[in-house]
Amino acid sequence: MDHSTRITRRALCGGMAAAGLLAGLMPGLPMSRALAQSYPQRNFRVIIPTGQGGGAERLARAFDDAWSDLLKRQFEYTFHPGAAGQIGYELFVKQREADGYNLLFGNMGPEMIMYAVQKPDYRFPEDFIYFSRTDIDDSCIFVRNDSPYKDLKSVVEAAKKRPVNVAVSRIPHPASIGMLALGEATGSTYNLIPYGGGNPTYVAVMNGEADIGALPITGVLSLSSQFKVLGVFNRENIFAGITDNAPTVNGAFGTSIPDLYSSRAWAVHSSWADANPEDFALLERTSQEAHASAEFQDAFVKTGAPVESLKYGDRQVCTEYALAMLDLAKRYEPVLSAQR
Amino acid sequence: MGWDSALLLSLAVDAVMLTWIVVPAVLLGILVGAIPGFSAQNTLIILLPLTLAMDINMALAFMVSLYCATHLGGGIPAILVNMPGTGGAAATTLDGYQMTLKGKAQQALVLCFVASTIGGLVTSIATVALLPFLAQVGMYLRSVEMVAVMVFGLVLIAAIAADDPLKGIIAGFFGLMIGAIGTDHIYGTPRAAFGFLELYDGVPLVPALIGLFAISEAFSMMERSTIVPRSAVVDTRAHWADTLEGLRLSLKYWWLTIWTSFVGLLIGVVPGAGASIASFVAYQQARMFSKTPDEFGKGFAPGVVAPEAANNGVTSGTLVPLMAIGVPGGSTAAVMMVVLQYHGIVLGPRLFIESPEIAYGIFFSMTLSYIVMLFTILPLARYMSQVVLIPTRILVPMILSLTIVGAFANREYVFDMSLALVFGVIGYIARKTHYHVTAILIGIILGPLFEQYLLRSLRIGQGDLTILFSSTIGNVLWAFVVLSVLLPWLRSRQQERRRRVERETPTALTGDQPR
């Protein structure tokens, strides 16, 4: 006689129905909590709305060295640099499932300016939120080492006589706003030339196609053998020691241009964060721990960028910064967009 | 760098010691290059966890070998089935496939392999010797000069459509219009994207390439039982003699191989330019300096040699700005940069002082990979050429399934698969109505780049058109553009005149009119 337990089709169907009924009737039972605690169960997919090999990728990979250890999961990246980052965001909001496994690692400054100027049909912070800032990257004005412009004043003097060509990554960018604000405040004129990314912008300054460049400072410092920083758009130059005491723009001209910096941050779908507070809290906590880890800092230093730029910010800090960027972009919207 | 013979010897020994990783990388690269849609860049991204875990020298040897091999691999389907594996091989189809149709597939493959490997080999060695000079080349080719370089490529539209200039111009403009889709280069505002998010970044090259060449060709293949006519199939049976014939032709055009590979090297050095542009410009230049420009496009050996040598010359060129100034010259170089930085390698001029074994070692690995490629791939030409014997009822489903996957693989958008099919239909109609698909493709590839450099130049000149003629190098390039238009025309007029004179002059001995 066969005493082995055999699962019949009827028993299997009945069991599944009962389990479904139980789960449906009692969603608050500890079982659902146990499932939630098992997050994350698979690898993360990250959209980077800028090009490959750029600052965002380097920073994200350095960061995930530490973060993946804490989450026990890996990060897989795709790059969608088109339309000043708009493609990456639209893809993230509209086509990626809001399941906590799809993240975005963006540069809040330029991408919120793009959001203000292009008016895409996704909403911040209703559709996505930034929850973990990794760095503060001050916008700066730089020249190649053998440039005739030795300081900020010589640039402004020249720009009062004729428009000075400025290589920028994008027109909708904090550094571009900085140049426009400087022109407005000092009566000088700057002709912004967008090169579509940091790397080609460096080349344009190196080969003399543009007179000066305006970009976030950390990339410029990683090429310090080629460039000299003339000034920064912030209330303090935290890299004074390695920029030959370059002044702040406001300090040099007595202007009151707001702090203009780029800030990379991790983002997630708002609906998922609201519906899964415990899982979201886990992401927040572990990202903060990863940021503080020596592993991340070591990996970041290897990219040649200065560690002083690493500054953690939580969801609230990120949201405040992003909204402030929106306001700033609205102020300069006519010159940042093609719609005059 | 002072030429330290001990360092050179140690670099050469190190490179040879890495042969074991170069061989699989080369084979994988050839395979990846031969499948339209798969590229060195997306393969290296997939393999990034592997390369990050490797020793840096090993990782570089692997990446560089794979990268170089994809450039060679792209020419194989371009010759055999009229579908370029990569954008850089699009120009190869013009004469490569015509050679196949004439039953000379094996010779065309040998020409492709020898031109690719010798071109790559020579330029990788030259790069080691001329690195400081080459690093400066990128500094002299700025937006204004690049406008002229782009015009070189665009002029090719007129050349390849010489039989019917009106259709050529229509096809070229159609390509340029498609190339204008996407965000504008100044403000980043989407235009003509018809609400498709996937078109915001412009029409992607891979689905366009796959559709215009691979899918439309597959549709055409359905109308016949084999790729080449039955009479030619008999001639195409593999013989070593055909390989030797290909080698003889390669030797005959050795100088063309060398100088067009340097065209590729110089274009590769400019960040943002790439193999597609280099191969079209090299093809156009080869045609310009040819004594028989009318032979191009009809299965002429130099039409295979020039683009293949150039697109392999690009490989070492794109690494120059990465190593010398720390700025990647192309998307594959950007992936390599991530790996180098992960290992804490600081790129730029200091690299040559602090880590010469890395800075120069990468070019030694490249040299080795080309040597490996030459000896592994050349004997295979004989067998590869047999692809044309496969019945189209088997070949067409294989091509369609592989290329549709390839269209998806590049950006992972389902939309791109549909786009490839749309371009397939466009390409098929173009073939049937005798519009040149290559002219459309040139417009799609060069249009956005031309616009980008032109708008940038005009912005630098603050709207003044004379900026385009403001640089000496630029003006020399413009003079070459004019020459490249006039020279083939003058030469063909001269030949026509000579033929007429010969027809009209009685022969000296008999007084008969020549026939």
Side-chain angles (χ1 to χ4, degrees), chain A residues 58 80 191-192 209 340, chain B residues 142-143 187 341 413 459:
Chain A
R58 294 200 289 272
H80 303 275
N191 181 32
L192 304 184
E209 180 162 299
R340 300 290 173 93
Chain B
R142 299 179 286 189
S143 298
Y187 294 103
Q341 290 191 326
Y413 291 157
R459 205 163 163 91

Side-chain angles (χ1 to χ4, degrees), chain A residues 144-172:
Chain A
R144 61 179 184 177
N145 281 329
D146 60 351
S147 165
Y149 301 111
K150 301 295 175 202
D151 53 30
L152 279 180
K153 290 206 164 108
S154 60
V155 172
V156 170
E157 283 311 311
K160 282 179 179 173
K161 292 175 192 150
R162 62 160 183 97
V164 166
N165 286 333
V166 188
V168 294
S169 173
R170 307 164 180 174
I171 298 269

Side-chain angles (χ1 to χ4, degrees), chain A:
Chain A
M1 190 178 168
D2 187 5
H3 289 285
S4 62
T5 309
R6 293 180 64 183
I7 301 172
T8 63
R9 191 178 57 179
R10 180 173 299 200
L12 180 70
C13 292
M16 284 172 68
L21 191 67
L22 201 67
L25 289 174
M26 294 173 281
L29 275 184
M31 187 173 75
S32 63
R33 180 170 293 180
L35 282 174
Q37 282 170 349
S38 62
Y39 172 83
Q41 290 181 321
R42 58 175 196 269
N43 289 345
F44 293 89
R45 294 175 70 201
V46 183
I47 285 180
I48 294 188
T50 47
Q52 193 139 29
E57 183 186 5
R58 294 200 289 272
L59 187 54
R61 288 193 188 277
F63 192 82
D64 89 29
D65 274 358
W67 205 12
S68 57
D69 282 352
L70 295 168
L71 291 167
K72 311 287 181 217
R73 297 291 163 195
Q74 301 300 312
F75 292 78
E76 295 155 6
Y77 299 92
T78 54
F79 301 86
H80 303 275
Q86 188 179 345
I87 293 176
Y89 279 82
E90 293 221 14
L91 196 66
F92 179 67
V93 171
K94 294 176 183 171
Q95 293 184 22
R96 291 284 188 266
E97 204 179 336
D99 58 1
Y101 292 98
N102 284 296
L103 304 177
L104 179 142
F105 187 67
N107 192 341
M108 292 189 285
E111 284 146 24
M112 288 315 291
I113 297 172
M114 171 274 295
Y115 173 75
V117 171
Q118 299 295 351
K119 301 179 179 57
D121 58 354
Y122 57 80
R123 289 286 156 263
F124 174 82
E126 290 83 356
D127 291 328
F128 68 96
I129 45 164
Y130 297 107
F131 66 92
S132 175
R133 182 184 72 188
T134 52
D135 68 324
I136 285 183
D137 201 348
D138 293 333
S139 296
C140 75
I141 300 172
F142 67 100
V143 291
R144 61 179 184 177
N145 281 329
D146 60 351
S147 165
Y149 301 111
K150 301 295 175 202
D151 53 30
L152 279 180
K153 290 206 164 108
S154 60
V155 172
V156 170
E157 283 311 311
K160 282 179 179 173
K161 292 175 192 150
R162 62 160 183 97
V164 166
N165 286 333
V166 188
V168 294
S169 173
R170 307 164 180 174
I171 298 269
H173 192 284
S176 305
I177 291 184
M179 294 312 303
L180 295 171
L182 177 63
E184 197 177 81
T186 59
S188 48
T189 317
Y190 301 96
N191 181 32
L192 304 184
I193 303 151
Y195 282 85
N199 287 328
T201 310
Y202 300 136
V203 174
V205 178
M206 269 182 220
N207 67 21
E209 180 162 299
D211 300 312
I212 61 172
L215 278 179
I217 196 168
T218 54
V220 179
L221 292 177
S222 68
L223 293 166
S224 56
S225 58
Q226 319 272 340
F227 298 129
K228 181 184 177 191
V229 174
L230 296 184
V232 295
F233 288 102
N234 208 330
R235 67 196 66 190
E236 181 196 0
N237 178 9
I238 59 168
F239 303 110
I242 48 174
T243 56
D244 205 12
N245 285 318
T248 64
V249 171
N250 285 339
F253 299 105
T255 49
S256 53
I257 298 168
D259 293 348
L260 292 165
Y261 53 89
S262 299
S263 236
R264 282 113 181 170
W266 295 89
V268 72
H269 295 96
S270 310
S271 56
W272 175 82
D274 294 341
N276 300 276
E278 289 179 12
D279 295 348
F280 179 55
L282 177 79
L283 275 190
E284 285 186 300
R285 179 174 53 76
T286 50
S287 71
Q288 188 173 4
E289 285 171 23
H291 194 279
S293 71
E295 196 179 358
F296 167 48
Q297 304 216 347
D298 290 346
F300 183 70
V301 169
K302 277 186 188 174
T303 67
V307 78
E308 292 91 331
S309 65
L310 297 181
K311 287 199 170 44
Y312 175 77
D314 61 11
R315 176 181 179 174
Q316 190 184 343
V317 169
C318 292
T319 306
E320 282 171 7
Y321 168 76
L323 294 175
M325 272 293 149
L326 270 181
D327 288 340
L328 195 65
K330 281 176 188 158
R331 235 178 85 191
Y332 288 96
E333 191 176 342
V335 276
L336 294 174
S337 73
Q339 294 135 10
R340 300 290 173 93

Side-chain angles (χ1 to χ4, degrees), chain B residues 73-161:
Chain B
I76 298 169
I79 289 167
L80 294 178
V81 282
N82 199 22
M83 43 188 86
T86 58
T92 310
T93 58
L94 291 168
D95 283 275
Y97 188 58
Q98 291 301 320
M99 285 185 77
T100 296
L101 292 179
K102 287 179 178 174
K104 294 189 176 297
Q106 205 183 145
Q107 288 91 327
L109 284 174
V110 172
L111 280 168
C112 162
F113 298 158
V114 175
S116 297
T117 50
I118 300 299
L121 196 65
V122 167
T123 47
S124 60
I125 294 167
T127 305
V128 175
L130 304 171
L131 209 111
F133 165 74
L134 286 170
Q136 291 303 312
V137 169
M139 300 293 119
Y140 289 108
L141 290 177
R142 299 179 286 189
S143 298
V144 168
E145 290 81 7
M146 287 309 288
V147 173
V149 172
M150 293 300 134
V151 174
F152 268 121
L154 291 171
V155 163
L156 187 58
I157 293 175
I160 60 174

